[in-house]
Amino acid sequence: MSITSRLSCLLFAVSAISSPISHRAVDGLNTRAVAAGKEYFGSATDNGELSDIPYLEGLSNTADFGSITPGNAMKWDTIEPSRGTFNFANGDTIVDLAEKNGQLLRCHTLVWHSQLPSWVSNGGFDNATLIDIMVNHITQEVTHYKGKCYHWDVVNEALNEDGTYRSSVFYDTIGPAYLPIAFAAAAAADPEAKLYFNDYNLEYGGAKFNAALEIVKLVQSYGAKIDGLGFQGHLIVGSTPSRSSQESNLNKVAALGVEAAFTELDIRTTTPATEAAVAQQAKDYAATVGACAAVEKCVGVTIWDYTDKYSWIPSVFQGQGAALPWDENLQKKELVYNAILEALS
Ligand SMILES: O[C@@H]1[C@@H](O)[C@H](O[C@@H]2CO[C@@H](O[C@@H]3CO[C@@H](O)[C@H](O)[C@H]3O)[C@H](O)[C@H]2O)OC[C@H]1O
């Protein structure tokens, strides 16, 4: 029995004992997702937030969140800030929390051009040396977390908007082969973890999405294991693609024999959010989550933290925010939350 099935059985048993009349599991985003055949509904989190007890209680509520993702703790600059020096402390804290709560873990991320220490990006390494460095980083990190990570985002954001490869030290030095090499190294270190390529703006279809499909085929053509395509889902209120077009994208992923997930969903708007914007946001969440619910191979949805209190959006997109289903006071936005629940039903 999978970890998620065990969790939903446990929740069901607990609610059956405390409420002999209804016999229904405690209702929430995750319990609805699991009941709809998904593996989890989850949230990102970050180490600094975990001392906020009301926040932590919400994050640990497995009726809503069956999975957590470290927002920063497993990135290269945290894990290997200088060559050969590994710092797993922040990542271990998130792993321990997930274990204590009985939550799955989406581990994020091994190879990314951003939050990459300058000893890698400006090291001037030749092809063979950079491959060694990348493979060693992946091997050390994935081995450290072996058996803990349900998913790994192996490579993050390899593409430009026009579908060409993004210039990065990895692409510029190794060429596109850095992708299959990275996936093969991750699979060798933890054969059980599901391995994802993850990128943003795939939800709109078009050149970038088609190139992501080509990356899946590229990794497969090298005989390396790739299990899924991650749609980050950093979307905009009123510009979110329709449910049917998102379903069509997810079905194209499934046709390649791999699964899909929304890995970093948030839907931002101009702040302060108007009533009309929140109403539209509820529809946009429903379109995205509903698309995942409708496609068997879409295994789950992760929101990029659950509360506006800790959203990354205002620090990156000036004047934008209010992107999550809980507000800055950790209060549920009922309209948005209920729209997601409904979309999962
Ligand atoms: O000062 C930095 C601060 O800038 C950093 O912020 C994080 C940046 O990454 C965010 O996650 C990414 C969101 O977009 C997708 O493209 C990526 O896949 C995600 O990894 C994260 O939420 C922010 O906290 O945090 C560390 C500080 O030192």
Side-chain angles (χ1 to χ4, degrees):
M1 189 186 270
S2 73
I3 299 173
T4 329
S5 312
R6 267 185 274 142
L7 186 61
S8 62
C9 284
L10 182 66
L11 286 167
F12 184 85
V14 168
S15 85
I17 291 163
S18 60
S19 166
I21 299 167
S22 77
H23 287 268
R24 288 193 60 198
V26 179
D27 204 14
L29 304 178
N30 182 54
T31 40
R32 286 275 180 117
V34 171
K38 304 294 113 180
E39 296 179 356
Y40 61 85
F41 191 98
S43 173
T45 188
D46 212 347
N47 297 72
E49 302 157 18
L50 301 178
S51 55
D52 178 340
I53 301 304
Y55 166 83
L56 181 61
E57 278 172 7
L59 180 72
S60 302
N61 175 8
T62 53
D64 280 325
F65 306 120
S67 159
I68 54 177
T69 303
N72 287 299
M74 293 186 179
K75 291 173 177 173
W76 197 314
D77 59 354
T78 300
I79 294 287
E80 193 183 4
S82 59
R83 191 170 178 180
T85 302
F86 289 85
N87 169 18
F88 295 112
N90 280 0
D92 291 353
T93 299
I94 310 279
V95 169
D96 292 347
L97 177 66
E99 279 184 352
K100 181 168 160 257
N101 290 341
Q103 291 164 316
L104 298 172
L105 202 63
R106 287 203 84 260
C107 293
H108 173 84
T109 177
L110 295 167
V111 179
W112 188 28
H113 66 276
S114 184
Q115 294 181 265
L116 183 66
S118 61
W119 73 265
V120 185
S121 47
N122 298 330
F125 300 112
D126 64 19
N127 178 46
T129 309
L130 189 62
I131 290 174
D132 278 353
I133 286 169
M134 184 183 77
V135 167
N136 183 55
H137 177 79
I138 293 170
T139 305
Q140 298 294 329
E141 183 166 0
V142 177
T143 301
H144 181 82
Y145 293 118
K146 187 174 181 185
K148 315 279 186 191
C149 296
Y150 185 55
H151 288 182
W152 260 114
D153 288 332
V154 177
V155 177
N156 200 33
E157 300 178 357
L159 294 167
N160 294 316
E161 294 307 299
D162 65 359
T164 56
Y165 281 103
R166 178 193 286 275
S167 168
S168 72
V169 70
F170 302 109
Y171 179 74
D172 298 345
T173 311
I174 304 170
Y178 89 87
L179 287 127
I181 294 170
F183 276 85
D190 187 351
E192 299 299 318
K194 291 193 177 181
L195 307 181
Y196 273 66
F197 169 62
N198 192 46
D199 215 324
Y200 61 89
N201 287 351
L202 305 182
E203 305 77 18
Y204 301 94
K208 191 171 189 181
F209 172 64
N210 291 333
L213 297 178
E214 291 305 317
I215 283 181
V216 173
K217 292 190 215 164
L218 174 80
V219 175
Q220 290 172 332
S221 75
Y222 273 72
K225 181 170 109 90
I226 180 165
D227 299 288
L229 181 60
F231 293 71
Q232 289 185 5
H234 295 299
L235 300 172
I236 301 169
V237 168
S239 302
T240 295
S242 68
R243 172 173 161 160
S244 61
S245 73
Q246 296 199 66
E247 274 185 42
S248 153
N249 295 339
L250 293 168
N251 281 320
K252 287 180 188 161
V253 177
L256 299 182
V258 296
E259 60 188 42
F262 288 97
T263 55
E264 307 186 17
L265 182 61
D266 49 25
I267 310 186
R268 63 185 182 268
T269 187
T270 304
T271 49
T274 61
E275 228 173 87
V278 176
Q280 182 60 46
Q281 185 181 48
K283 290 182 188 158
D284 293 341
Y285 266 104
T288 306
V289 174
C292 185
V295 176
E296 194 187 341
K297 281 287 216 177
C298 183
V299 299
V301 175
T302 299
I303 47 178
W304 205 241
D305 224 315
Y306 72 91
T307 158
D308 294 337
K309 186 173 185 182
Y310 295 120
S311 172
W312 71 302
I313 295 289
S315 65
V316 176
F317 300 94
Q318 223 183 359
Q320 302 278 298
L324 293 163
W326 277 256
D327 70 16
E328 290 189 355
N329 300 313
L330 304 179
Q331 299 302 305
K332 267 180 203 163
K333 300 172 190 171
E334 295 292 344
L335 201 62
V336 176
Y337 182 89
N338 289 335
I340 301 174
L341 273 186
E342 185 64 28
L344 288 166
S345 299

